[in-house]
Amino acid sequence: MRLLSWVAVRVAVCAATLTVLSVLVFSATEVLPGDAAGVASGPAATPAERAAVRVSLGLDRPPLERYLDWAQGAAHGDLGTSMTSGTSVTAVVGARAANSLAVVLPAALMILVIAGTAGTWAGLHAGSRADRVISASGLALAAAPDFLIATALLLGFTLWWPVLPAVAIVPIGQSLWQRPELVALPALALALGGCGATLRLLRASVAQTAAEPYAGFARLNGYRGPRYARSIVANAAGPAVQAFSIMLAGLVGGAVVVETLFNVPGLGQELTRAVAARDVPLVQGLSLVLGAVALLVLLAGDVTARLLTAPTRRNGGSR
């Protein structure tokens, strides 16, 4: 299948997945405990007043009709209006996304450096003592929940060695991008949480590539040291890129826990507040955006991996 046709199919699959996700998000908010009309009208409202609020919010209409209106608006960039603040959900997403990026991007960079270096080294020296130590460390990090890593960092850097702030309190008129000390712990917590799985995937990819016949021929032809490592890494790049994209998509979900623990005013913390307040339009909008971002990251990873392996495919698998 040609590259453009393959990309078109992948885009269509992502669009179909996002459509299914929108149905699941809308259905899930329909069965959330508590009534959105009750939240909007307040605890002292009478049944008649709550009924009036339900009509004013359009909640008396059939679910299918409300879903189609919401999906049509989302397709045009209108995610509705927050029930608690009265502001546009799209505006809330835009304001919070910058704060989430200030945490996720440094975390992704740290994972790329730490997991990339350690995973490549372990794969090139598979079976060695260093490989066993690195693999065991990666397994421990992969098994550790995000909140446990975040709690350990809080104890270490705010209580035992208090050099970093425990929560991200952004001064008025500034942003997280101007205060790197506020994002250090959240970014490190996300990075450590994502390092384990990424390291092990990279290690497996490099070790598998190093075990193939062409790698033996390369060694027989005098490939040693950095030259040999570059040859192996270049051929393992495709699966490695996919592993990194899977990790990056997972960071989007992991940020919900980390942002809440460190009080980072990002998309994850806003989603937690919206669920607690039964702010249905905000929950729907944030969930759909987070899902769409994860799908786009995975799509970008698949396309990049396909481009990296295209020469091998054209040569019938020979390197």
Side-chain angles (χ1 to χ4, degrees), residues 7-74:
V7 172
V9 171
R10 291 290 295 122
V11 171
V13 170
C14 281
T17 305
L18 187 60
T19 302
V20 173
L21 178 64
S22 69
V23 174
L24 294 176
V25 167
F26 188 87
S27 302
T29 53
E30 285 289 299
V31 298
L32 272 177
D35 183 26
V39 174
S41 58
T46 64
E49 290 172 336
R50 291 181 182 176
V53 171
R54 286 183 63 83
V55 173
S56 67
L57 294 176
L59 298 178
D60 59 325
R61 296 183 298 159
L64 178 59
E65 182 180 339
R66 285 187 283 121
Y67 167 75
L68 293 176
D69 283 348
W70 174 68
Q72 186 177 10

Short mmCIF file of all heavy atoms in Angstrom, two decimals, residues 7-74:
data_model
loop_
_atom_site.label_atom_id
_atom_site.label_comp_id
_atom_site.label_asym_id
_atom_site.label_seq_id
_atom_site.Cartn_x
_atom_site.Cartn_y
_atom_site.Cartn_z
N VAL A 7 -1.57 6.53 4.90
CA VAL A 7 -1.85 7.64 5.82
C VAL A 7 -3.34 7.99 5.81
O VAL A 7 -3.93 8.24 6.87
CB VAL A 7 -1.01 8.88 5.42
CG1 VAL A 7 -1.44 10.10 6.23
CG2 VAL A 7 0.47 8.61 5.63
N ALA A 8 -3.96 7.96 4.62
CA ALA A 8 -5.39 8.27 4.54
C ALA A 8 -6.22 7.27 5.35
O ALA A 8 -7.17 7.64 6.04
CB ALA A 8 -5.83 8.27 3.08
N VAL A 9 -5.84 5.99 5.26
CA VAL A 9 -6.56 4.96 6.04
C VAL A 9 -6.37 5.19 7.53
O VAL A 9 -7.32 5.09 8.32
CB VAL A 9 -6.06 3.56 5.62
CG1 VAL A 9 -6.62 2.49 6.57
CG2 VAL A 9 -6.45 3.24 4.19
N ARG A 10 -5.13 5.52 7.94
CA ARG A 10 -4.86 5.75 9.36
C ARG A 10 -5.64 6.96 9.88
O ARG A 10 -6.16 6.96 11.00
CB ARG A 10 -3.36 5.95 9.59
CG ARG A 10 -2.52 4.72 9.39
CD ARG A 10 -2.75 3.66 10.48
NE ARG A 10 -2.30 4.17 11.76
CZ ARG A 10 -3.06 4.28 12.83
NH1 ARG A 10 -4.33 3.92 12.76
NH2 ARG A 10 -2.58 4.74 13.96
N VAL A 11 -5.72 8.03 9.06
CA VAL A 11 -6.48 9.21 9.46
C VAL A 11 -7.97 8.85 9.61
O VAL A 11 -8.64 9.29 10.55
CB VAL A 11 -6.29 10.35 8.45
CG1 VAL A 11 -7.25 11.50 8.73
CG2 VAL A 11 -4.84 10.85 8.48
N ALA A 12 -8.48 8.05 8.66
CA ALA A 12 -9.89 7.64 8.73
C ALA A 12 -10.15 6.81 9.98
O ALA A 12 -11.18 6.96 10.64
CB ALA A 12 -10.26 6.86 7.47
N VAL A 13 -9.21 5.92 10.32
CA VAL A 13 -9.36 5.10 11.53
C VAL A 13 -9.37 5.99 12.77
O VAL A 13 -10.17 5.79 13.70
CB VAL A 13 -8.23 4.05 11.61
CG1 VAL A 13 -8.23 3.36 12.97
CG2 VAL A 13 -8.39 3.02 10.50
N CYS A 14 -8.48 6.99 12.79
CA CYS A 14 -8.45 7.91 13.94
C CYS A 14 -9.76 8.69 14.06
O CYS A 14 -10.27 8.90 15.16
CB CYS A 14 -7.26 8.88 13.80
SG CYS A 14 -5.68 8.16 14.27
N ALA A 15 -10.29 9.14 12.91
CA ALA A 15 -11.55 9.88 12.93
C ALA A 15 -12.69 9.00 13.45
O ALA A 15 -13.52 9.45 14.25
CB ALA A 15 -11.87 10.40 11.52
N ALA A 16 -12.71 7.74 13.00
CA ALA A 16 -13.75 6.81 13.47
C ALA A 16 -13.58 6.55 14.97
O ALA A 16 -14.58 6.50 15.72
CB ALA A 16 -13.67 5.50 12.69
N THR A 17 -12.32 6.40 15.42
CA THR A 17 -12.08 6.17 16.85
C THR A 17 -12.51 7.35 17.68
O THR A 17 -13.11 7.21 18.76
CB THR A 17 -10.57 5.89 17.08
OG1 THR A 17 -10.16 4.80 16.25
CG2 THR A 17 -10.31 5.54 18.54
N LEU A 18 -12.24 8.57 17.17
CA LEU A 18 -12.64 9.77 17.90
C LEU A 18 -14.17 9.88 17.97
O LEU A 18 -14.72 10.32 18.99
CB LEU A 18 -12.05 11.01 17.22
CG LEU A 18 -12.24 12.34 17.95
CD1 LEU A 18 -11.61 12.30 19.34
CD2 LEU A 18 -11.65 13.49 17.13
N THR A 19 -14.84 9.45 16.91
CA THR A 19 -16.31 9.47 16.92
C THR A 19 -16.85 8.52 17.98
O THR A 19 -17.76 8.87 18.75
CB THR A 19 -16.86 9.09 15.54
OG1 THR A 19 -16.35 9.99 14.55
CG2 THR A 19 -18.38 9.13 15.52
N VAL A 20 -16.28 7.32 18.02
CA VAL A 20 -16.71 6.35 19.04
C VAL A 20 -16.40 6.90 20.44
O VAL A 20 -17.22 6.78 21.37
CB VAL A 20 -16.00 5.00 18.82
CG1 VAL A 20 -16.28 4.04 19.98
CG2 VAL A 20 -16.42 4.38 17.50
N LEU A 21 -15.23 7.53 20.57
CA LEU A 21 -14.86 8.11 21.87
C LEU A 21 -15.85 9.19 22.29
O LEU A 21 -16.22 9.28 23.47
CB LEU A 21 -13.45 8.70 21.78
CG LEU A 21 -12.93 9.38 23.05
CD1 LEU A 21 -12.79 8.37 24.19
CD2 LEU A 21 -11.58 10.05 22.78
N SER A 22 -16.29 10.01 21.33
CA SER A 22 -17.26 11.06 21.67
C SER A 22 -18.56 10.47 22.18
O SER A 22 -19.18 10.99 23.11
CB SER A 22 -17.51 11.96 20.45
OG SER A 22 -18.23 11.26 19.45
N VAL A 23 -18.99 9.36 21.57
CA VAL A 23 -20.22 8.69 22.03
C VAL A 23 -20.02 8.16 23.46
O VAL A 23 -20.90 8.31 24.32
CB VAL A 23 -20.58 7.53 21.07
CG1 VAL A 23 -21.77 6.74 21.63
CG2 VAL A 23 -20.91 8.07 19.69
N LEU A 24 -18.85 7.57 23.71
CA LEU A 24 -18.59 7.02 25.05
C LEU A 24 -18.52 8.14 26.09
O LEU A 24 -19.04 7.99 27.21
CB LEU A 24 -17.28 6.23 25.03
CG LEU A 24 -17.27 4.95 24.19
CD1 LEU A 24 -15.88 4.33 24.18
CD2 LEU A 24 -18.29 3.96 24.72
N VAL A 25 -17.86 9.27 25.74
CA VAL A 25 -17.77 10.38 26.68
C VAL A 25 -19.15 10.94 26.99
O VAL A 25 -19.49 11.17 28.16
CB VAL A 25 -16.87 11.49 26.08
CG1 VAL A 25 -17.00 12.79 26.88
CG2 VAL A 25 -15.42 11.04 26.06
N PHE A 26 -19.96 11.14 25.95
CA PHE A 26 -21.31 11.68 26.17
C PHE A 26 -22.15 10.70 27.00
O PHE A 26 -22.86 11.13 27.93
CB PHE A 26 -21.98 11.93 24.82
CG PHE A 26 -23.28 12.67 24.92
CD1 PHE A 26 -23.30 14.07 24.94
CD2 PHE A 26 -24.48 11.99 25.02
CE1 PHE A 26 -24.50 14.75 25.05
CE2 PHE A 26 -25.69 12.67 25.14
CZ PHE A 26 -25.69 14.05 25.15
N SER A 27 -22.04 9.40 26.69
CA SER A 27 -22.82 8.41 27.45
C SER A 27 -22.37 8.35 28.90
O SER A 27 -23.20 8.21 29.81
CB SER A 27 -22.68 7.03 26.79
OG SER A 27 -23.10 7.07 25.45
N ALA A 28 -21.06 8.45 29.12
CA ALA A 28 -20.54 8.38 30.49
C ALA A 28 -21.02 9.55 31.33
O ALA A 28 -21.36 9.39 32.52
CB ALA A 28 -19.01 8.34 30.47
N THR A 29 -21.07 10.74 30.74
CA THR A 29 -21.54 11.90 31.49
C THR A 29 -23.05 11.83 31.76
O THR A 29 -23.54 12.45 32.70
CB THR A 29 -21.23 13.21 30.74
OG1 THR A 29 -21.74 13.13 29.40
CG2 THR A 29 -19.73 13.45 30.69
N GLU A 30 -23.75 11.05 30.93
CA GLU A 30 -25.18 10.89 31.16
C GLU A 30 -25.47 10.08 32.42
O GLU A 30 -26.50 10.26 33.06
CB GLU A 30 -25.83 10.20 29.95
CG GLU A 30 -25.99 11.08 28.74
CD GLU A 30 -27.06 12.14 28.93
OE1 GLU A 30 -28.23 11.78 29.14
OE2 GLU A 30 -26.71 13.34 28.89
N VAL A 31 -24.54 9.17 32.76
CA VAL A 31 -24.78 8.29 33.90
C VAL A 31 -23.97 8.71 35.13
O VAL A 31 -23.90 7.96 36.11
CB VAL A 31 -24.45 6.82 33.55
CG1 VAL A 31 -25.35 6.33 32.44
CG2 VAL A 31 -22.98 6.68 33.15
N LEU A 32 -23.33 9.90 35.08
CA LEU A 32 -22.61 10.38 36.25
C LEU A 32 -23.56 10.53 37.43
O LEU A 32 -24.70 10.99 37.26
CB LEU A 32 -21.97 11.75 35.95
CG LEU A 32 -20.57 11.76 35.33
CD1 LEU A 32 -20.15 13.21 35.05
CD2 LEU A 32 -19.56 11.11 36.27
N PRO A 33 -23.13 10.17 38.63
CA PRO A 33 -23.99 10.39 39.80
C PRO A 33 -24.30 11.88 39.96
O PRO A 33 -23.44 12.73 39.74
CB PRO A 33 -23.14 9.88 40.97
CG PRO A 33 -22.13 8.97 40.35
CD PRO A 33 -21.87 9.51 38.98
N GLY A 34 -25.52 12.20 40.35
CA GLY A 34 -25.89 13.61 40.50
C GLY A 34 -26.54 14.14 39.23
O GLY A 34 -26.32 13.63 38.14
N ASP A 35 -27.34 15.16 39.37
CA ASP A 35 -28.08 15.74 38.26
C ASP A 35 -27.49 17.11 37.94
O ASP A 35 -27.34 17.96 38.82
CB ASP A 35 -29.56 15.86 38.64
CG ASP A 35 -30.39 16.39 37.49
OD1 ASP A 35 -29.98 16.21 36.33
OD2 ASP A 35 -31.42 17.01 37.77
N ALA A 36 -27.15 17.34 36.68
CA ALA A 36 -26.56 18.62 36.29
C ALA A 36 -27.52 19.77 36.57
O ALA A 36 -27.10 20.87 36.98
CB ALA A 36 -26.21 18.59 34.80
N ALA A 37 -28.81 19.54 36.39
CA ALA A 37 -29.78 20.59 36.67
C ALA A 37 -29.83 20.90 38.16
O ALA A 37 -29.98 22.06 38.56
CB ALA A 37 -31.17 20.16 36.18
N GLY A 38 -29.67 19.86 38.99
CA GLY A 38 -29.65 20.07 40.43
C GLY A 38 -28.44 20.88 40.85
O GLY A 38 -28.54 21.74 41.73
N VAL A 39 -27.28 20.62 40.23
CA VAL A 39 -26.07 21.38 40.54
C VAL A 39 -26.23 22.83 40.12
O VAL A 39 -25.85 23.76 40.84
CB VAL A 39 -24.86 20.74 39.84
CG1 VAL A 39 -23.61 21.60 40.03
CG2 VAL A 39 -24.61 19.34 40.36
N ALA A 40 -26.80 23.04 38.93
CA ALA A 40 -26.94 24.40 38.42
C ALA A 40 -27.96 25.21 39.22
O ALA A 40 -27.78 26.42 39.41
CB ALA A 40 -27.34 24.36 36.95
N SER A 41 -29.02 24.56 39.70
CA SER A 41 -30.07 25.29 40.42
C SER A 41 -29.76 25.47 41.90
O SER A 41 -30.34 26.32 42.56
CB SER A 41 -31.41 24.57 40.25
OG SER A 41 -31.32 23.24 40.73
N GLY A 42 -28.84 24.65 42.43
CA GLY A 42 -28.47 24.81 43.84
C GLY A 42 -29.25 23.88 44.74
O GLY A 42 -30.33 23.39 44.38
N PRO A 43 -28.72 23.62 45.95
CA PRO A 43 -29.37 22.65 46.85
C PRO A 43 -30.71 23.14 47.40
O PRO A 43 -31.53 22.34 47.83
CB PRO A 43 -28.33 22.48 47.97
CG PRO A 43 -27.52 23.75 47.93
CD PRO A 43 -27.47 24.17 46.51
N ALA A 44 -30.94 24.46 47.43
CA ALA A 44 -32.18 24.99 48.02
C ALA A 44 -33.31 25.11 47.00
O ALA A 44 -34.41 25.55 47.35
CB ALA A 44 -31.91 26.35 48.65
N ALA A 45 -33.07 24.72 45.76
CA ALA A 45 -34.10 24.89 44.72
C ALA A 45 -35.25 23.90 44.92
O ALA A 45 -35.05 22.77 45.39
CB ALA A 45 -33.47 24.68 43.35
N THR A 46 -36.44 24.33 44.57
CA THR A 46 -37.61 23.45 44.64
C THR A 46 -37.66 22.57 43.40
O THR A 46 -36.98 22.85 42.40
CB THR A 46 -38.89 24.31 44.70
OG1 THR A 46 -39.00 25.05 43.47
CG2 THR A 46 -38.83 25.28 45.88
N PRO A 47 -38.45 21.48 43.44
CA PRO A 47 -38.58 20.62 42.25
C PRO A 47 -39.02 21.40 41.00
O PRO A 47 -38.54 21.12 39.90
CB PRO A 47 -39.63 19.60 42.68
CG PRO A 47 -39.48 19.51 44.16
CD PRO A 47 -39.14 20.89 44.62
N ALA A 48 -39.91 22.37 41.18
CA ALA A 48 -40.36 23.16 40.03
C ALA A 48 -39.22 23.99 39.46
O ALA A 48 -39.07 24.12 38.24
CB ALA A 48 -41.52 24.07 40.45
N GLU A 49 -38.40 24.55 40.36
CA GLU A 49 -37.27 25.36 39.89
C GLU A 49 -36.24 24.48 39.17
O GLU A 49 -35.65 24.89 38.17
CB GLU A 49 -36.62 26.07 41.07
CG GLU A 49 -37.48 27.19 41.66
CD GLU A 49 -36.91 27.73 42.95
OE1 GLU A 49 -36.15 27.00 43.63
OE2 GLU A 49 -37.24 28.89 43.29
N ARG A 50 -36.02 23.27 39.69
CA ARG A 50 -35.08 22.36 39.02
C ARG A 50 -35.60 21.94 37.65
O ARG A 50 -34.83 21.81 36.69
CB ARG A 50 -34.85 21.13 39.89
CG ARG A 50 -34.07 21.43 41.17
CD ARG A 50 -33.83 20.20 42.00
NE ARG A 50 -33.13 20.52 43.22
CZ ARG A 50 -32.86 19.65 44.18
NH1 ARG A 50 -33.26 18.39 44.05
NH2 ARG A 50 -32.20 20.03 45.26
N ALA A 51 -36.91 21.72 37.58
CA ALA A 51 -37.50 21.36 36.29
C ALA A 51 -37.33 22.50 35.29
O ALA A 51 -37.05 22.26 34.10
CB ALA A 51 -38.98 21.01 36.47
N ALA A 52 -37.47 23.73 35.78
CA ALA A 52 -37.31 24.88 34.89
C ALA A 52 -35.86 24.99 34.41
O ALA A 52 -35.60 25.32 33.23
CB ALA A 52 -37.72 26.16 35.63
N VAL A 53 -34.92 24.69 35.32
CA VAL A 53 -33.50 24.74 34.93
C VAL A 53 -33.21 23.66 33.90
O VAL A 53 -32.45 23.89 32.94
CB VAL A 53 -32.61 24.58 36.17
CG1 VAL A 53 -31.15 24.41 35.76
CG2 VAL A 53 -32.75 25.79 37.08
N ARG A 54 -33.81 22.49 34.08
CA ARG A 54 -33.59 21.41 33.12
C ARG A 54 -34.05 21.82 31.73
O ARG A 54 -33.38 21.56 30.73
CB ARG A 54 -34.36 20.14 33.55
CG ARG A 54 -33.75 19.40 34.71
CD ARG A 54 -34.55 18.12 35.00
NE ARG A 54 -34.50 17.21 33.86
CZ ARG A 54 -33.49 16.37 33.64
NH1 ARG A 54 -32.48 16.33 34.48
NH2 ARG A 54 -33.51 15.57 32.60
N VAL A 55 -35.18 22.48 31.68
CA VAL A 55 -35.68 22.94 30.37
C VAL A 55 -34.76 24.01 29.79
O VAL A 55 -34.44 24.00 28.59
CB VAL A 55 -37.12 23.48 30.52
CG1 VAL A 55 -37.60 24.12 29.21
CG2 VAL A 55 -38.07 22.36 30.95
N SER A 56 -34.31 24.94 30.66
CA SER A 56 -33.45 26.03 30.16
C SER A 56 -32.11 25.50 29.66
O SER A 56 -31.50 26.07 28.74
CB SER A 56 -33.21 27.05 31.27
OG SER A 56 -32.45 26.49 32.32
N LEU A 57 -31.62 24.38 30.27
CA LEU A 57 -30.35 23.79 29.83
C LEU A 57 -30.53 22.82 28.66
O LEU A 57 -29.54 22.31 28.13
CB LEU A 57 -29.68 23.04 31.01
CG LEU A 57 -29.23 23.90 32.18
CD1 LEU A 57 -28.69 23.02 33.31
CD2 LEU A 57 -28.14 24.88 31.74
N GLY A 58 -31.78 22.56 28.33
CA GLY A 58 -32.04 21.64 27.23
C GLY A 58 -31.91 20.19 27.62
O GLY A 58 -31.83 19.31 26.76
N LEU A 59 -31.90 19.91 28.94
CA LEU A 59 -31.72 18.53 29.39
C LEU A 59 -32.99 17.71 29.27
O LEU A 59 -32.96 16.48 29.51
CB LEU A 59 -31.23 18.52 30.85
CG LEU A 59 -29.88 19.19 31.09
CD1 LEU A 59 -29.52 19.17 32.58
CD2 LEU A 59 -28.79 18.49 30.29
N ASP A 60 -34.10 18.33 28.94
CA ASP A 60 -35.35 17.59 28.76
C ASP A 60 -35.45 16.99 27.36
O ASP A 60 -36.36 16.21 27.08
CB ASP A 60 -36.54 18.51 29.02
CG ASP A 60 -36.54 19.71 28.08
OD1 ASP A 60 -35.45 20.21 27.76
OD2 ASP A 60 -37.63 20.15 27.67
N ARG A 61 -34.52 17.33 26.49
CA ARG A 61 -34.55 16.78 25.14
C ARG A 61 -33.99 15.36 25.12
O ARG A 61 -33.23 14.98 26.02
CB ARG A 61 -33.75 17.67 24.19
CG ARG A 61 -34.31 19.08 24.01
CD ARG A 61 -33.49 19.83 23.00
NE ARG A 61 -32.10 19.97 23.45
CZ ARG A 61 -31.08 20.21 22.63
NH1 ARG A 61 -31.29 20.33 21.34
NH2 ARG A 61 -29.86 20.33 23.12
N PRO A 62 -34.31 14.57 24.11
CA PRO A 62 -33.76 13.19 24.02
C PRO A 62 -32.23 13.22 23.96
O PRO A 62 -31.64 14.13 23.36
CB PRO A 62 -34.37 12.66 22.71
CG PRO A 62 -35.57 13.51 22.48
CD PRO A 62 -35.25 14.86 23.03
N PRO A 63 -31.57 12.21 24.58
CA PRO A 63 -30.09 12.17 24.57
C PRO A 63 -29.48 12.20 23.18
O PRO A 63 -28.46 12.85 22.96
CB PRO A 63 -29.78 10.86 25.29
CG PRO A 63 -30.96 10.61 26.16
CD PRO A 63 -32.14 11.14 25.38
N LEU A 64 -30.10 11.48 22.22
CA LEU A 64 -29.54 11.45 20.87
C LEU A 64 -29.54 12.84 20.25
O LEU A 64 -28.56 13.25 19.61
CB LEU A 64 -30.35 10.48 19.99
CG LEU A 64 -29.89 10.38 18.53
CD1 LEU A 64 -28.43 9.92 18.45
CD2 LEU A 64 -30.79 9.44 17.72
N GLU A 65 -30.61 13.58 20.46
CA GLU A 65 -30.69 14.94 19.91
C GLU A 65 -29.62 15.83 20.53
O GLU A 65 -28.95 16.61 19.85
CB GLU A 65 -32.08 15.51 20.16
CG GLU A 65 -32.28 16.91 19.59
CD GLU A 65 -33.68 17.43 19.87
OE1 GLU A 65 -34.59 16.60 20.12
OE2 GLU A 65 -33.86 18.66 19.87
N ARG A 66 -29.43 15.70 21.85
CA ARG A 66 -28.41 16.53 22.52
C ARG A 66 -27.00 16.13 22.09
O ARG A 66 -26.12 16.99 21.94
CB ARG A 66 -28.56 16.38 24.04
CG ARG A 66 -29.76 17.14 24.59
CD ARG A 66 -29.80 17.13 26.10
NE ARG A 66 -30.28 15.84 26.61
CZ ARG A 66 -29.62 15.05 27.41
NH1 ARG A 66 -28.39 15.38 27.79
NH2 ARG A 66 -30.13 13.93 27.84
N TYR A 67 -26.78 14.81 21.87
CA TYR A 67 -25.46 14.38 21.43
C TYR A 67 -25.14 14.93 20.04
O TYR A 67 -24.02 15.42 19.80
CB TYR A 67 -25.37 12.85 21.38
CG TYR A 67 -24.15 12.36 20.63
CD1 TYR A 67 -22.89 12.44 21.21
CD2 TYR A 67 -24.25 11.87 19.32
CE1 TYR A 67 -21.75 12.04 20.51
CE2 TYR A 67 -23.12 11.47 18.62
CZ TYR A 67 -21.88 11.56 19.22
OH TYR A 67 -20.76 11.17 18.52
N LEU A 68 -26.10 14.86 19.15
CA LEU A 68 -25.85 15.36 17.79
C LEU A 68 -25.54 16.86 17.80
O LEU A 68 -24.66 17.32 17.07
CB LEU A 68 -27.06 15.05 16.89
CG LEU A 68 -27.29 13.56 16.61
CD1 LEU A 68 -28.57 13.37 15.79
CD2 LEU A 68 -26.10 12.94 15.88
N ASP A 69 -26.25 17.62 18.63
CA ASP A 69 -25.97 19.06 18.73
C ASP A 69 -24.57 19.30 19.27
O ASP A 69 -23.82 20.15 18.77
CB ASP A 69 -27.00 19.73 19.65
CG ASP A 69 -28.33 19.93 18.95
OD1 ASP A 69 -28.38 19.76 17.71
OD2 ASP A 69 -29.32 20.24 19.64
N TRP A 70 -24.20 18.53 20.32
CA TRP A 70 -22.88 18.69 20.94
C TRP A 70 -21.77 18.30 19.96
O TRP A 70 -20.77 18.99 19.81
CB TRP A 70 -22.80 17.84 22.20
CG TRP A 70 -21.44 17.81 22.82
CD1 TRP A 70 -20.79 18.84 23.43
CD2 TRP A 70 -20.54 16.69 22.87
NE1 TRP A 70 -19.55 18.44 23.87
CE2 TRP A 70 -19.37 17.12 23.55
CE3 TRP A 70 -20.62 15.37 22.43
CZ2 TRP A 70 -18.29 16.28 23.77
CZ3 TRP A 70 -19.54 14.53 22.66
CH2 TRP A 70 -18.39 14.99 23.33
N ALA A 71 -21.94 17.15 19.27
CA ALA A 71 -20.93 16.68 18.33
C ALA A 71 -20.78 17.65 17.16
O ALA A 71 -19.65 17.92 16.71
CB ALA A 71 -21.30 15.29 17.81
N GLN A 72 -21.89 18.20 16.70
CA GLN A 72 -21.81 19.17 15.60
C GLN A 72 -21.06 20.43 16.04
O GLN A 72 -20.24 20.97 15.31
CB GLN A 72 -23.22 19.53 15.12
CG GLN A 72 -23.24 20.43 13.89
CD GLN A 72 -24.64 20.72 13.40
OE1 GLN A 72 -25.63 20.40 14.07
NE2 GLN A 72 -24.76 21.31 12.23
N GLY A 73 -21.36 20.89 17.25
CA GLY A 73 -20.64 22.06 17.77
C GLY A 73 -19.15 21.77 17.95
O GLY A 73 -18.30 22.60 17.62
N ALA A 74 -18.82 20.57 18.49
CA ALA A 74 -17.41 20.20 18.70
C ALA A 74 -16.66 20.15 17.38
O ALA A 74 -15.49 20.55 17.30
CB ALA A 74 -17.33 18.86 19.42
#
